[in-house]
Amino acid sequence: MNFKIPFSGRAHLYTQEELNLIKEVSQNAVPLTQGKYLKEFEEKFAKYIGVKYAFGVNNATNALEMVAQLCKFKEGEEIIAPAHTFTASVYPFIKKGANVKWADIDFDSRVISLENIKKCVTEKTKAIVVVHLYGMIIPDIEAIAEFCKNNNLILIEDTAQALGTEINGKKAGSFGDFGVFSFHSHKNITTLGEGGMLTCNDKKYADIIPMLRHNGHIAWNFERKYYWEPAMGNVDLPELDGEYLMPNNYCMGEVEAALGSKLLERIDKINEDKRKRAIKFIDEITKVSNLLEFNRINDKRHNYHLLVAFAKRKRDEIMKKLAFEKGVQVIVQYYPLYRYDLYKKLGFGQANCPNTEKFFDNIQLVS
Ligand SMILES: *Cc1c(COP(=O)(O)O)cnc(C)c1O
C-alpha cells in the first residue's frame, strides 16, 4: 500500500465554478443575508431530503438548540440519546431543560438501536435523539420512527454527518419530527466552514422557526397605510401551543446559502467518491491484517463521512504502525459523553452502556 492519509489535513476542493459563485454572490447579493439564495437553498434542500420544510441556519448545534426549544421540556422530562456521539448532539437539550438517559449502541452497527432505546423509556420520556454517526444511516431508523409515532415521542435525527444517505429510497433526516444537518468544515459538504439546516414536516413548527431563528421578526398582522408605520416590522415571541419561546439570531448568510445550493448538486457524487475510497481502503487493509473490523456498506446507506474500525486487539500498536510506518493517521473519537466533565457537572455522569465502553476503548477512526 502507498496511502498517505493525514487526519483532517485536506483542503476543501471547491470547483472553479463554485469559487466564481462565492465571488459573484458576495459582490451582488442585496442584502447579504435572508435573501433569495437562502430561499432557493431551503427549497432545494427540502426537495432533496423529501420533507416539506427546510430552514438554513448558521450551524447544526443551533439547529439542535432550536429543536430543543420546540420540545418545550417541563421539569423532569427526559430525552434518550446515545453517548457515543459528538457533544453537540446532546447538550443543547440539557440547556433547554431536559434530563438525559443514555442509550447504549448496538455492538455491530455501532449506533443506537430500537432495542436499546426501549430499555431507557420511562413515563418521563419526551424525545429521542438519534445520530446517524460516521455517515451511516441507522439500520433501525424505520422501526424507531414507527415506535416514536406509536408512543407519542418526538424523534430528532442528528444527520450532521449523514447527508444524502438513505434506506429503502428514503433519506436520513426525513423519518423523524426534525432533521438536523451540518455544513461544518469537516462534513461532506461545507458552506465556507460553518452552516446547517433544520428540516421538519409539521406546519406548526414551520410557522414559527423563521421568527425563532431571526430575533422574533415577523410582519405586522394588519393592513398598513404607510410601510413605515407603526414601525418597519414587528418583533414578537414565537408561540407554540400556547407557550412563548425566546428567539435568537441563528441566520445563515447569502454566500453560504448560494454555495450550499451549488454543492447540493454534487453531494451524491461526493458521497460516492468517499464510499469508493473507503471500500478500497477496507479491502486493502483487511488483506494485510485481520485485527480490524469495519462496517463495509457499499451502497447509499453509508457516505463514509468517517471510516471507523474496531480493533479486536493491539489497538495502540496498530495505530502506531499505521501512523509512523504507513502514513495513515488515525484517531480515537467519541469519548462516551458521560465521561466528560461537562456532563458529570450537569449530573449526567452515570450510564449503563457496556457496548459504548467496549467500542470506544478499542475504536479507531480514519477521516
Ligand atoms: C458536526 C456535528 C454536529 C454539530 O455541527 P455544527 O454545524 O458544527 O454545529 C452535531 N452532531 C454531530 C453528530 C456532528 O458530527
Side-chain angles (χ1 to χ4, degrees), residues 26 83 95 114 117 170 175 258 286 341:
S26 58
K95 195 170 166 182
L114 179 57
I117 287 171
K170 195 166 156 57
F175 292 87
T286 42
D341 289 341

Side-chain angles (χ1 to χ4, degrees), residues 53-120:
Y53 309 102
F55 300 94
V57 288
N58 52 4
N59 59 58
T61 306
N62 283 338
L64 287 157
E65 188 165 314
M66 285 164 83
V67 170
Q69 272 188 289
L70 292 166
C71 289
K72 295 190 296 159
F73 295 106
K74 304 277 177 310
E75 177 86 34
E77 286 184 331
E78 294 166 357
I79 61 158
I80 295 169
H84 184 61
T85 180
F86 182 58
T87 181
S89 304
V90 179
Y91 82 87
F93 294 89
I94 303 176
K95 195 170 166 182
K96 296 296 170 192
N99 288 336
V100 185
K101 279 268 183 310
W102 300 109
D104 204 0
I105 54 170
D106 171 72
F107 197 77
D108 293 326
S109 69
R110 297 141 187 190
V111 289
I112 201 167
S113 65
L114 179 57
E115 195 190 327
N116 289 331
I117 287 171
K118 280 183 178 168
K119 288 181 195 157
C120 300

Side-chain angles (χ1 to χ4, degrees), residues 58-64 85-90 131-134 158-161 180-187 193-196 305-306 334:
N58 52 4
N59 59 58
T61 306
N62 283 338
L64 287 157
T85 180
F86 182 58
T87 181
S89 304
V90 179
V131 186
H132 302 287
L133 201 66
Y134 313 123
D158 180 341
T159 319
Q161 303 186 355
V180 170
F181 300 82
S182 172
F183 314 124
H184 177 271
S185 180
H186 287 176
K187 306 294 153 66
E194 296 280 355
H305 163 62
L306 296 169
Y334 303 128

